[in-house]
Amino acid sequence: MQNHISRRGGISRRTVLAASLAAGTVTALGATGSPFATALPLTGSQNLTGNWFTTPPHSVRPKFRWWWPDGLVDPAEVAREIDQIADAGFGGAEIAAVHHSIKDKTVLDTAHHGWAGTPWREGVQAALRQAARRGLTIDLTLGPSWPVAVPGVTPDDTAAAQELAYGRVSVAAGARYQGPVPEPVHEAGSGVTRRTLLAVQAARVEPANGTRKETGLDLDSVHDLTATVRDGALTWTAPAEGDWVLLSYWQRGTAQQPESGPHSAPAAYVVDHFSPTGTSAVTDFWERVVLTGTMRRLLKAAGGAFFEDSVELETDSLVWTTALPDAFERRTGRPLLPYLPALVLDKSNQVFAFEAQLTRQIRHDFWETVSHLFNTHHVTALRDWAHSLGMSLRAQPYGLQTDAIASAAILDISEGESLGFKNLDDYRCLAGGRDLAGHRVLSCEAGAYNGSAYSTTWDRFLRTMGGAYAAGVNQTVVHGFSYATAPGVSWPGFAAFSPYNGGPGYGESWGPRQPTWQHVRDVAGYLGRVHQVLQTGTPRVDVAVFRQTGYTATGIGASWFTATGVPLGWTHQFISGPLLDLPGARVSGGRLAPDGPAYQALFVEGDFFYGSTPTLALADARKLLKLARAGLPMVLLGTFDQALTPGVPGPDETDRVRDVLARLLALPHVTAVTDKAAVGDALTALGVTPHVRHATPSTLLNAHRVDGDTDFYYLCNGKHAETVKPPVTTVDHDVTLRRTGRGGTVPYRLDPWTGEVTRVGRYTWDGDDVTVRVTLEPGQAMVVALGRPGLFGDRNGGHPHAVAGDADRVLFTDRGLAVRVETAGTYTTRLSSGRTVTTNVRSVPEPVTPGRWHLDVEDWLPGAEPTGTGIVRRRLTLDALLPWSQIPELADSAGLGRYRTTVALGSDWTSSCGAYLELGQVGDTFRVTVNGTRLAPADRLHPVVDLGGHLRRGDNVIEVEVATPLVNRLRAAQPAVFGAVARQAYGLMGPVRLVPYVQRPLR
C-alpha cells in the first residue's frame, strides 16, 4: 500500500482520503540551478515528466524514526513536529515509544501516559490528522519499543515468548541417580511461576564428538526417561560403560519486556513469535484497544506501515514454542526430542554435540523449522492483518537464525540498519528477497552511531548510506527525531538515547534543536531524489548467489563476488530456497526473474554458516536443475559432485541429491570450479559479463534499474564496510554502462543535490555499451540515465557529442556543446560526427585565494527552558581559516557561522568566464551566496561550487553559511555527560580557492 502517485496522471486513493480530511499545501524540494550551464527542463517523456526528479513525491522522501516518551505527549506539540518534519522536506515518520535516556521510569507515569493509553492514542491521532493535511504518512510500531509486546500478556501466558531451559547432572558409569529432576541451569525470569517438563533423557559422553566448548555425546545412547518421573523425581542407574549425563528440558516463559520498559500499565511482555497465539495477542489488542473508529479512518488517510524492529528475543536458553516438536516432525519425518542435546543453549552457546556432520544437520533442520514457524505465524499473519487495515508491514526480519531472505520476500517492506549490519552483503540478502518477490522498497534504519549523539555530521551519514544504496536500499528512516520534551530533561530537550549509560548515546536527535536543521532540506532533497531513482522501474542485478542458510546481519558475503567481483563492477544478491518457489522465479532468455532483477547467472558455493560445506537440499537441487534446463547459466564453487544434504538425510537422500547434481553439472551452461579465483573466468566462458565494467579494480559501487526505455545507474565511490582499510580514495576512470532497456544510448547526468538533468557532453558508445568518465570523491555518488535523444526534454538530441578531446570538460548547455578549461591553450575536440573542432583560449584568470574573512556567528546556548535555545552573536575577522575549536572565542561554540569575503576580479574577466569555489574542509552543512544570490545546494561530500555566471568584473561578495552540530557547546553545558568528548573541528576550515575557467561554445 505504498502511496505512489501514478506517473501516468492518476491519483492514489490515499491522496483522495487525505484531501477529504484536510486541505494543505506541499512545499517543493527543488532548488534554483545555476543559469550559466542551463539544466534541461524535465519534460517530453511519457514516464519521466514534470518534476519527476526535481521534486519527488512524499512517498519516496526520507522518513524519521520519531521517538516518544510513551504517551506523555501534547497533541498540539505533535502537530507542530509534523510540520517541522514536512517543512524540512521529509516524507513521514515512524512513532516509537523509546526513552532509554530516562532512568527514573516513574516520571512517565505509565498508568496515565503509557503506550496505547488514551493520551498516546490522542497523540497518534493528532499526528495522523496533521500528516494527512501535509501529505505525509505515519508508521506505527506494533508494540512499545522492541521486541513486539502488548499490555495484558503475562510471563505465564501461552501467548508470551517461550524458552526451553535445560538441567544437567553427571552420572558415573554404573552409578545410581536417585533424586529430583535436574533443575534448569538458569533461574526463571521475574514473574514466571509456571513451567512444563518436556522430557528427561540420559546420554553417554563421547569425547570424540566434543569440541573446545561442547561436551560430546553419543546419539545412539540417548534414552528417554520421562515416563519414569514420579512427583518430580526419578531413579536411574547408568550402564557400566562410560560416563553419562542426565538432561532435563523445561518449557517456560522468558518474562522478557520490551526495551527500556515498562511502557504501559499493566506492563507489556514480549509475545511468542512462532505461534498463532502470540500474533493474535498483538492483533487482538490493537483491535480491542487502539483501533477506534477515528483511528481507523485516520490510518486510511495517512497511515503507512506497521513496523517491527529486529527480532531480539533475549533468553539464556533456547527460543521455543509449544508447536515446535510437532512442526519439526512434520517437516523432517523425525521426532525432535532425541536431538535436543545438540540444540540447547547456554547464553547463546551450544552445550552438547553429536558427531560433527550430524550435529550440523540437526541444527540446520531445527532452525529451518523455527524459520518456517516465524515466517508463517508471525510475518505472514501480521502482514495479512496489516493489509486488512489498508496498511503495509515493514520489519527488520533478523536477529535469530531464521531465513531473513525468505522473510524479505513476504514483507511489504523489509528493513536493514546501518548500526547492526556489518557490511553491504547484509543488505544484499534482504534485497534478493525483495526483488525476486517483486516488492519495491528496501528500507534502512540509518545513521545510528554509538556515542555520537549531538556530534553526528551529515557527511558521515551520507558516506554510510552511499554504499547501502548501491546494495539495494532505496528508503531511509533516519535515526531519529526526538519528541521535544519530557520531565527532568536538560537542554536541548528530550533525547531518546542521550544520556545513555552516563555518556552520549547512539543515534542523533535531529530537528530544530540542531543548527544543521537550517540546511537539512538540502539533504532531504538529495535523499528523496536518490530514492526516486532507486524506486523507479525494476532492478537489474548481474548474479544471484544461492544461500543454503538465509541468515543476515552476519557480515558473511559471497567469496569471489564480494572480494573480487564488486571492485570490477559486478553486482549480486542472495536468494534462498523458498524464493525459488515464487512466481517470478522463472527463466526466459537466459535470465532468472526476467521481469526484474533479471539475473544473468546463478552462483552456488558451500554453506558459510556450516564450515563452507557443499550442501543442497534435494528439493532445492531439483529446482536448480529445472532452472538450468530452462537456460539459466550457473557456476558452482566446490566439490558439489560430493554434496551433502544440509539437514539430516532420509534413506538414500544423499545419493539422490548427488544424482540430480550430476545431471545439473552435465549441462553445457553449468560450470563447476574448485578455486574461487576461477569464478570470473567461468562466468566469462558462459557469456556472462557485468552491466558495469571498468578496466581496473576500484571502490566504485553501482545499482542498476530499468524503467521502460531508460536505464538508470546509481554510482557511488563507497566501501563494503565501515571498518574497511585502507580508506576509500578518489575514483577517476572510464566506466562502461550497458543499455538493457529499449531506448537509446544517450547518457544523462542527474544531480541529486540540485535536481538538474544534463546530457553528458563527452562519451563513446559501441552497440549497447556507453563509456563515460566517472570522477567521484570518497562517499560521493552520481546518477546516469541511458535513454533516447530528447529524454527529460533535452533539446540537443540532434547535436553531435564529443568522443575525445583534451579540454577539462565538455558539456551541453542550452546553446549546444561547449568546452570548459582552467588554463590557457589550444584544445581539440573530436565529435561523434567525425569532425574535429579546435578551440583557442588565450587566457584564463589566475586562481584567487581569499584573504580576510568576516565571520558572524550565532552561538547557540541553553535557554531558560530545556527546549529553549539562547543565541549570542559574535563577530570576528579572520586572516586565516581555522576550526572553531582552535579559535579562543569559539572553542565551545556551536551554531551558525556566516563567512563573508570580497574577491576583486580584474579586466581579464569576461562573459565567457566562470569559476569554481573550492571550499576545502567544511564542518558540517553549508550554503553559498554570491553577490546576494543563494546558489543551489552543493554536494556535501565534494564541497566545490560552480559559481557559473554569478561573478562579475570588480568586487564580488561571497558568503558561506556553515551550520555545526551541538556537541562542542554541550561539552561545556553538560560536562557530566559530554565532557569526555574531545572538541570537534567544525566551521569553514578550507583551504578556500576561487578557480576560474573559460567556457567556449563548439562551433
Side-chain angles (χ1 to χ4, degrees), residues 53 769 774 809:
F53 182 65
D769 291 341
V774 173
R809 187 178 172 194

Side-chain angles (χ1 to χ4, degrees), residues 784-840:
V784 176
L786 303 181
R788 59 177 174 76
L791 188 63
F792 304 108
D794 173 26
R795 297 184 179 90
N796 290 296
H799 296 175
H801 63 274
V803 297
D806 51 6
D808 297 324
R809 187 178 172 194
V810 183
L811 68 159
F812 278 107
T813 72
D814 54 354
R815 298 182 180 181
L817 202 61
V819 295
R820 182 179 289 185
V821 298
E822 296 174 18
T823 56
T826 300
Y827 298 89
T828 59
T829 305
R830 184 158 55 90
L831 303 179
S832 56
S833 62
R835 187 167 67 97
T836 298
V837 180
T838 300
T839 304
N840 184 28

